[in-house]
Amino acid sequence: MNRRDFHAHLAWLAAPVMGAALPAGAQAWPARPVKLILSQPAGSGPDILARYVADQLGRLWQQPLVIDNRPGGQNVIGAQAAARAPADGYTFYYATTAAMVTNVFTFKSLPYDPVKDFAPVRLIGRSPFVLAAASGLPERDLQAVLARAKARPGSVAVGTEGPKTFSGMLLESLAGTAGVQFNHVPYNKAPDALQDLIGGRVQLVCLPEAAVSSYLKGGQLKALAVSTARRLPQMPEVPALAETLPGFEFTGWNGLFAPAGTPPALIAQVNRDLERVLAQPDVAERLLTLGTLAEAHMTVPQFEQFMRAERERWAGIVKTIGLQAE
């Protein structure tokens, strides 16, 4: 074997080893459209938000991001599809708190494991909830409503999206912390609860800020409190629940996850690219109008720690409100 053949042979032997050190197509990634799986239907709040973020990432990557809506089963259908997707960097799961944390406590068994089947990529934003009343409610503030609920248990009917949804668990946690008893009225859809509120069939609703914002702006509803630890910049006149119940904070969130086994280097790149997108003032402002507070900075290790803390926090909440898995 001459010198040229010898070096060619060495290069041929080294090629598979060098290729194995990097994810397939890593230098050209993304070389084709990237899919984002959602557990919510088209037109829902998370869907609108995800499409906006996907559009911003698509401009950065110069590749389209395709939204794959898999609604149903309280997020189980979408989460299961994402967990089974190839770990090649071309499929991600745009998830909310329910799929990755609270489902563990509301289902006796799940066909996916939020910890083992997914790799956290980045927190995108936090979604505040609002305790809102019809504009004609006699009580002017949250303290007066709580006083009424304490004096006459069950006299205040509050609409939520169900006892095992985020809004339902928020309400039960609020009632337990305040030492009152509400008449908890579950709805399948937020618009139904809002119509009943306007029609006087319930006195309050506990729903995502995005679901009630247009009603608040139109003067049909008045906000009594927001679920964040501090007042929201877009609603500075509305008190935070923590102002009445110190330490009380209850926000949903949305984040990006990859199927377990996705190369760490690729996850780190997506994290950095999301950081660039969310750092843009116009992007943060747009997310705010969609009911989400953009997370300005969060590394992959920080998001992993955030997820561990969320699971521990929710274990305590579920125990406190006595929620039973079914």
Side-chain angles (χ1 to χ4, degrees):
M1 183 181 293
N2 59 35
R3 183 183 297 269
R4 176 180 296 177
D5 289 341
F6 175 74
H7 284 290
H9 183 65
L10 282 180
W12 178 82
L13 288 173
V17 177
M18 293 173 65
L22 295 170
Q27 294 179 333
W29 184 90
R32 63 178 192 271
V34 176
K35 181 191 295 185
L36 293 188
I37 294 178
L38 264 76
S39 299
Q40 293 78 27
S44 63
D47 175 78
I48 295 170
L49 188 64
R51 289 179 188 274
Y52 177 73
V53 173
D55 181 61
Q56 303 304 310
L57 277 177
R59 294 180 187 182
L60 182 63
W61 293 343
Q62 297 186 341
Q63 284 287 350
L65 276 77
V66 179
I67 303 297
D68 183 3
N69 298 97
R70 302 286 188 96
Q74 295 187 37
N75 298 280
V76 171
I77 295 173
Q80 188 174 12
R84 294 177 176 177
D88 59 1
Y90 286 93
T91 301
F92 292 88
Y93 184 37
Y94 190 98
T96 58
T97 316
M100 304 308 291
V101 179
T102 62
N103 271 2
V104 173
F105 304 105
T106 58
F107 286 85
K108 286 186 176 179
S109 63
L110 286 172
Y112 68 95
D113 188 319
V115 178
K116 295 180 180 179
D117 292 343
F118 294 96
V121 179
R122 195 187 192 282
L123 185 68
I124 292 172
R126 302 173 195 258
S127 303
F129 281 65
V130 176
L131 197 66
S135 56
L137 184 79
E139 288 80 11
R140 298 184 58 184
D141 53 32
L142 178 61
Q143 289 91 337
V145 170
L146 292 178
R148 173 180 166 184
K150 184 170 290 188
R152 290 184 288 155
S155 64
V156 179
V158 187
T160 73
E161 295 170 296
K164 294 189 176 181
T165 65
F166 197 93
S167 61
M169 289 186 279
L170 191 166
L171 181 67
E172 293 300 330
S173 184
L174 169 61
T177 303
V180 302
Q181 181 182 334
F182 292 119
N183 176 11
H184 188 171
V185 183
Y187 290 84
N188 290 327
K189 295 181 293 185
D192 294 341
L194 289 164
Q195 289 306 312
D196 273 5
L197 176 63
I198 294 170
R201 286 176 283 277
V202 295
Q203 285 73 54
L204 303 175
V205 291
C206 181
L207 293 171
E209 189 263 337
V212 302
S213 60
S214 62
Y215 294 86
L216 295 172
K217 291 174 183 176
Q220 295 164 288
L221 304 181
K222 60 180 179 182
L224 300 182
V226 294
S227 66
T228 44
R230 292 177 294 277
R231 298 190 181 200
L232 299 176
Q234 71 272 33
M235 301 168 64
E237 74 286 355
V238 181
L241 280 172
E243 294 178 37
T244 302
L245 305 170
F248 193 95
E249 180 181 7
F250 219 100
T251 56
W253 50 261
N254 51 87
L256 201 65
F257 296 80
T262 301
L266 197 150
I267 288 175
Q269 179 181 335
V270 177
N271 176 283
R272 290 192 297 269
D273 289 345
L274 271 171
E275 188 100 350
R276 290 176 58 186
V277 165
L278 296 173
Q280 299 173 28
D282 58 329
V283 172
E285 184 176 347
R286 177 58 179 155
L287 263 60
L288 199 60
T289 66
L290 295 174
T292 295
L293 303 169
E295 192 69 26
H297 177 73
M298 184 168 282
T299 63
V300 174
Q302 286 173 333
F303 191 28
E304 292 170 343
Q305 174 56 37
F306 172 83
M307 290 303 301
R308 288 191 291 269
E310 277 291 277
R311 288 190 287 270
E312 292 176 6
R313 186 171 76 91
W314 274 97
I317 291 171
V318 167
K319 183 177 180 180
T320 299
I321 64 177
L323 188 68
Q324 298 296 316
E326 296 181 358

